[in-house]
Amino acid sequence: MRAFTLSLALLSGAAASAQTTMTGKEFEAYATGKTLTYASEGQVYGVEQYLPNRRVRWAFVDDTCHIGHWYEDAGEICFVYEHDATPQCWTFQISEGKLMARFVSNPPDTQLKEVNQTSEPLACTGPDVGV
């Protein structure tokens, strides 16, 4: 009985700490109007500005900005940019008040964590400076 109780307690703790994937509506409510900086394994990866109507502006560190949009597809948030029409799909969760993203397209399993949040526009190096 003691082992059963311990197993049940561990299972309950795991369920409580389990995070649920955000829906498109939840993601939109969290991100719209914000510019988020993401890191991978402690290194800044890139910055994305979330604009109204599910539009985005993305830049890798020290790279030009790319304009695109996102949409929800089968529980994933997929991004398409003007420079590349191939959908890039992610799942998003909130962990400790920060957005966590896991890339599910090919290659899978890149994980990003929000490390900064601002309402300021993304500082673009080009070609869409000032947009």
Side-chain angles (χ1 to χ4, degrees):
M1 179 70 168
R2 187 176 185 162
F4 174 74
T5 304
L6 179 59
S7 296
L8 186 58
L10 291 173
L11 186 59
S12 296
S17 67
Q19 302 159 347
T20 57
T21 299
M22 296 175 87
T23 65
K25 191 176 229 178
E26 292 167 332
F27 177 76
E28 185 171 28
Y30 180 87
T32 302
K34 298 176 183 173
T35 300
L36 304 179
T37 302
Y38 293 98
S40 176
E41 299 180 10
Q43 298 295 315
V44 173
Y45 184 84
V47 182
E48 191 146 45
Q49 181 180 5
Y50 298 91
L51 303 163
N53 301 317
R54 297 185 171 189
R55 294 177 304 119
V56 293
R57 184 177 294 127
W58 165 262
F60 287 104
V61 176
D62 297 325
D63 196 5
T64 59
C65 289
H66 300 285
I67 304 299
H69 70 277
W70 67 268
Y71 60 92
E72 184 176 14
D73 183 24
E76 298 172 356
I77 307 298
C78 300
F79 296 82
V80 176
Y81 299 92
E82 291 176 349
H83 73 285
D84 182 0
T86 305
Q88 299 175 37
C89 298
W90 300 77
T91 58
F92 289 88
Q93 301 173 330
I94 298 291
S95 177
E96 299 176 4
K98 300 287 185 178
L99 199 59
M100 304 292 288
R102 186 178 65 79
F103 194 54
V104 293
S105 295
N106 192 22
D109 293 330
T110 297
Q111 294 188 34
L112 302 179
K113 181 178 182 177
E114 173 190 342
V115 293
N116 190 46
Q117 179 183 121
T118 181
S119 59
E120 297 296 316
L122 176 59
C124 294
T125 58
D128 298 312
V129 175
V131 173

